[in-house]
Amino acid sequence: MDGTPSGSSQTTGLLGYFGFLRKSLWLVTDGSLLYYAWMTALTAIALVGAHAWAVQVTHGMITTNMTDSVSWGLYIANFTFCVGLAAGGVMMVIPAYLYHDEEMHHVVIFGEAVAIAAIVMSTLFVVVDLGRPDRFWHLIPFIGRFNWPISMLTWDVIVLNGYLVINLHIVGYLLYMQYLGRRPNPLWYVPFVYLSILWAISIHTVTAFLYCGLGGRPFWNTALLAPRFLASAFVSGPAFIIIVMRLVRVLGGYTASPKPVRLLIQIIRVSMSINLLMLASELFTIFYTGGEHAAAGQYLFFGSHGHYGLVPWIWTSVALNLVGTALFFLPAALERGNVRIAACVLCIVGIWIEKGMGLIIPGFIPSTLHQIVEYTPSLTEWKVSAGTFAFGLLVLTVTVKLITNVLTGKLHEGVPLTKPEAVETA
Amino acid sequence: MLMGLLPVLMIVTVGMRRAHEEREDAQSVGPTLAELKAVGRSADPVEEIRRAKQTRRFPVEIRRPTGPPVIELTEPDPLGRMGRVACTTCHSVRPPNLSNQQPSDLDEFHAGMPFEHGRLVCYSCHNPGNADTLRLADGRAVEYPQVMTLCGQCHGPQARDYRRYSHGGVNGYWDLTRGGRVRANCIDCHDPHVPRFPKMIPTFKPKERFLVTTRDDHTPGLRFGGGTGHE
Amino acid sequence: MNETPSFPPQGSGSPVLSRRTAVKGACATLGLAAFGAAISPLTKLTEDISAEEFLQQHYQELSAKDKQKVFARLEAETKEEYGAEVTIRDDRPIPGTKFVYAINLSLCNGNGKCVEACHRENNHNRQTNESYIRILEMPIGTMDMGKGNITYSHAVPAEGKFYLPVQCQQCDNPPCVHACPVQATWKEDDGIVVVDYNWCIGCRYCEAACPYHARRFNWQKPEVPADEINPDQSYLSNRIRPQGVVEKCTYCLHRTRRGRLPACLEACPTGARVFGNILDPESEIRWLFENKRVLILKEHLGTEPSFFYFFDE
């Protein structure tokens, strides 16, 4: 782990890399009974989701509860949340590289893993929302007709895919070097790390622009949307990483230094405070001014014209966010304890609601003809969403397992895979 | 003599200038226009329209009554005949009673007919001298097919809007070089005796997928039945 | 640990390894089979979508010959799936034409005949009574649509109300066109915003972008009885739409580009609708525009509609 080259002969280059991937794949499919149970459960849920999606594509989106009034629902809500998760995932990167915090370097890679899984989920959530997934190729630049630069959705396609590629490269390179027992060449990853920091901000900004650029939707049409997205992303992302790190320590046997997590909590404290401040500012503007802009806010927070569909959601979200933030500010959150995990879970769920049922759905209620058509996701939508999250967690588990295998030394260039048990007991 | 010639001269010069203009147009626009048509775009749309208008134009037909109203007899007349009779059948033998103003004043044939048209009375529009015609305010008779002239004398803004197609139903072609139009007459939509447009029941309502019922109050009556059908 | 890596499953491994390999292989096979079973409903779809349909290019890239083929295929599909003989044409904008629509709100009584005419003319799904037009019943004295109601069913006009029909405004600065990621919707020379139903991917971003609730999504395959299908069709307008794509009002371009008036106008019993070519200085719509005070819906959004409302004085 100290970066000295291992003594064995090395197959470098592309071939070596494929060898590394094959070996990784072999090793990540080894694990405890708990691990197999977890993977089987995720696979089962993902399959249920895949089936529900196949039915949806065949019978039409009549199987969802979306309407021409509420034309985006749970899928796009989850998409927005996952983009935030992805953007927040690289929050580890900023202190590690901008401030040259050496201890962060090993943790960074977990952040990147979260980002990769989150991007995969975001992309899937867009795909399952398409009425004609068979025409997906129309979206491919040069093959289809890519309406760039005027359509914000094309920007989103670019930044999301770009982000995925950048993160795959960084994770893949760093792990491969570790696997080879070499010191990574900064030229090969540091520029990409800086790029990924900028890119992380861009993915959530562009996603916010997707909504706030629409003049016909007053609830979204606010300049505060992008900053709010970023602030909440910098809560949900790090919170998720903290949970992953905890699981890795308990189940994967890799113990990272506690210092980076403390830094993450500081980041969460600041970001969540900013997020709540901006929320308050938004609420003031909506309710003090009133008028057309207030209609959706009125419906969301207090209900309107006898419709209260989103009221329980948003107050749950507000409560979770406030309690979660309060917990984060307790000194106990800095210790390794359940308080921290509880705070993370509360904030993640709170932000998931805030970005979904609290932001995407009320953008459509009241409709552009100012009529109230309510929305509750259908069973199909829940199944597909659960399946997508399960698949994302599968990707994350595999990536994290791979990372721990490399970091704990289970997987390196000289490892003889004929005796995997020996490695486990070592 | 000189004064008499002047208008003639003017007409001649104007006519010559028009001809000249048209020639110029033909020269300058002709070939480019063909080109433009090929790509489906026009540089000068107004010019394009003017040219189009030189071609044949289809007529605009206004629906109108063919003549005075006729009445289906429900029982034989005093001479034992059945069939349809004109207004004059009765009114030629009965002197007009100018004191009859409202349906309530009538005790015979027209008794009970609905009438709500401002402060008008029967002979505001009907011609006391000839029951098969109508009468303008200045006393001139108007034939039934020209009833719109009669309406127009009071309803000026509507008559103006009608002339400009801002009032009244139309069917057919917006582009008269391709087809004609049929327009509604005043009395197609407005019963002259009760001209207010009648109330209607909206029978066709789009459903917003889950719109199960319509409630007749301010709140749109929307319910969610989970009616996904394929679960 | 420094043995040469004998990466699996080279067969020479211990019994433990081969058992592991076998189990892993079995699990992978099982997983793949389960995945295949899970997405098996898609097989019906793949049967329905022909290779030509899948590979069809964007409308603007089709040559005259391509179009003929595509239209013939679509006509055959309509015959097969709906049992109706239809003609699909390629109506292009008439040079020198820019269509503008206006509604006289003093005359409109909200009877909904236009809504129904649109439904029939454009071969909308019979199940939902879909239509490109919605009529708001509004209290006199406000233009706040929040006070309006689209689900009224009493006799009209009701006391103290006026009626505001809303359909596609054919904006000159159309947010929906800007939103589309694949250029499946665009504005043509006569001002009509059209959709290539065979190019739309169904992301519904345009539906979110439109401030006038003008766009509709085909949540399912439309159901229209054969004898009710309007056989007079155009590729970019009223042909029967596929499932999963967005559609919208085209000012009945299959009629208007052949010189005829839109179906909603002809159906209007109150004569409240005025339609024409704004570029023609002698057109009725031009006179109206120059002589009446007109209002534009949500003008503050800068969408620049080709649709106006006016009142009698």
Side-chain angles (χ1 to χ4, degrees), chain A residues 104-401:
Chain A
M104 288 293 278
H105 281 236
H106 276 166
V107 189
V108 159
I109 207 148
F110 288 100
E112 308 262 7
V114 169
I116 289 170
I119 288 288
V120 168
M121 287 190 279
S122 313
T123 312
L124 281 180
F125 274 120
V126 173
V127 172
V128 297
D129 191 59
L130 293 183
R132 296 302 297 234
D134 54 311
R135 298 184 187 160
F136 191 79
W137 65 274
H138 296 177
L139 249 177
I140 303 171
F142 307 111
I143 299 173
R145 278 172 67 116
F146 203 55
N147 191 14
W148 188 82
I150 191 72
S151 170
M152 287 317 295
L153 209 51
T154 57
W155 283 86
D156 227 25
V157 169
I158 293 172
V159 294
L160 288 180
N161 285 300
Y163 193 64
L164 181 62
V165 169
I166 293 171
N167 280 302
L168 281 176
H169 165 72
I170 296 171
V171 172
Y173 180 74
L174 288 180
L175 285 183
Y176 186 47
M177 286 299 121
Q178 188 91 10
Y179 158 84
L180 293 177
R182 286 201 213 152
R183 201 176 177 81
N185 181 356
L187 259 180
W188 274 102
Y189 75 102
V190 172
F192 294 99
V193 168
Y194 286 112
L195 186 62
S196 80
I197 294 170
L198 285 179
W199 212 286
I201 293 168
S202 85
I203 61 167
H204 222 15
T205 307
V206 168
T207 305
F209 285 177
L210 206 66
Y211 310 113
C212 71
L214 304 181
R217 305 275 171 194
F219 187 70
W220 293 342
N221 192 212
T222 156
L224 216 49
L225 204 68
R228 259 187 80 196
F229 269 33
L230 286 174
S232 61
F234 292 161
V235 176
S236 58
F240 199 78
I241 294 169
I242 291 175
I243 296 177
V244 171
M245 297 299 294
R246 161 67 78 94
L247 290 174
V248 165
R249 187 166 64 84
V250 173
L251 302 170
Y254 173 75
T255 310
S257 148
K259 213 178 126 198
V261 172
R262 291 216 185 109
L263 191 67
L264 282 186
I265 290 172
Q266 299 292 358
I267 292 172
I268 291 177
R269 284 175 173 177
V270 173
S271 304
M272 199 59 179
S273 306
I274 295 175
N275 187 31
L276 290 175
L277 175 72
M278 287 197 279
L279 176 69
S281 155
E282 196 99 85
L283 290 180
F284 170 79
T285 320
I286 288 174
F287 290 110
Y288 192 82
T289 319
E292 192 188 315
H293 276 255
Q298 175 73 33
Y299 169 74
L300 175 62
F301 281 93
F302 305 108
S304 94
H305 297 117
H307 298 282
Y308 303 94
L310 294 182
V311 176
W313 286 97
I314 193 66
W315 287 109
T316 308
S317 161
V318 169
L320 292 175
N321 280 341
L322 286 177
V323 175
T325 313
L327 289 182
F328 269 123
F329 273 95
L330 291 179
L334 289 179
E335 307 306 316
R336 283 199 166 128
N338 293 330
V339 174
R340 179 201 293 164
I341 297 301
C344 288
V345 171
L346 291 182
C347 282
I348 289 173
V349 177
I351 285 169
W352 175 71
I353 297 175
E354 188 190 304
K355 288 282 147 295
M357 298 306 269
L359 182 95
I360 303 306
I361 312 305
F364 294 99
I365 309 175
S367 73
T368 45
L369 294 184
H370 299 239
Q371 304 298 300
I372 293 180
V373 177
E374 297 202 281
Y375 165 77
T376 334
S378 73
L379 189 58
T380 300
E381 286 173 272
W382 284 117
K383 281 184 195 166
V384 172
S385 298
T388 311
F389 277 123
F391 185 76
L393 286 179
L394 264 177
V395 171
L396 181 67
T397 312
V398 167
T399 323
V400 167
K401 175 107 176 145

Side-chain angles (χ1 to χ4, degrees), chain A residues 8 19 22-31 36 43 47-48 50-64 66-73 75-76 129-139 143-148 150-154 209-211 214-217 220 292 305 364 367-371 409 412-421 423-424 426, chain C residues 1-10 13-14 16-17 20-21 24 31 34-45 49 53-58 60-61 130 134 136 144-151 166 175 177-183 196-221 242-245 297-298 300-301:
Chain A
S8 67
R22 272 174 62 204
K23 258 191 212 179
S24 323
L25 193 67
W26 184 251
L27 255 190
V28 295
T29 46
D30 280 337
Y36 283 127
T43 310
L47 287 177
V48 168
H51 179 70
W53 172 74
V55 172
Q56 173 193 297
V57 171
T58 312
H59 291 280
M61 296 189 87
I62 191 83
T63 49
T64 73
M66 287 183 264
T67 55
D68 282 323
S69 286
V70 185
S71 50
W72 278 344
Y75 300 151
I76 296 298
D129 191 59
L130 293 183
R132 296 302 297 234
D134 54 311
R135 298 184 187 160
F136 191 79
W137 65 274
H138 296 177
L139 249 177
I143 299 173
R145 278 172 67 116
F146 203 55
N147 191 14
W148 188 82
I150 191 72
S151 170
M152 287 317 295
L153 209 51
T154 57
F209 285 177
L210 206 66
Y211 310 113
L214 304 181
R217 305 275 171 194
W220 293 342
E292 192 188 315
H305 297 117
F364 294 99
S367 73
T368 45
L369 294 184
H370 299 239
Q371 304 298 300
H412 63 87
E413 218 259 340
V415 70
L417 278 152
T418 41
K419 288 183 194 163
E421 287 84 2
V423 178
E424 265 169 37
Chain C
M1 293 288 260
N2 269 345
E3 294 165 49
T4 42
S6 62
F7 189 69
Q10 313 220 332
S14 62
V16 179
L17 174 69
R20 241 167 213 271
T21 314
K24 279 186 187 184
F35 181 71
I39 61 163
S40 60
L42 290 179
T43 48
K44 185 192 166 289
L45 200 73
I49 300 172
E53 187 186 341
F54 178 72
L55 293 172
Q56 187 184 319
Q57 287 299 313
H58 189 281
Q60 289 169 326
E61 279 160 25
E130 194 48 271
R134 291 284 187 279
L136 281 150
D144 178 2
M145 290 191 212
K147 298 192 172 73
N149 170 24
I150 55 173
T151 60
V166 185
V177 169
H178 299 162
C180 180
V182 294
Q183 296 175 354
D196 182 350
Y197 311 123
N198 277 33
W199 192 257
C200 172
I201 58 172
C203 72
R204 307 188 300 291
Y205 191 22
C206 56
E207 231 182 343
C210 172
Y212 303 101
H213 194 70
R215 288 179 168 254
R216 307 279 182 271
F217 183 70
N218 287 279
W219 301 98
Q220 60 185 333
K221 191 178 156 95
Q243 168 179 299
V245 303
L297 220 51
K298 303 196 182 186
H300 62 280
L301 296 178

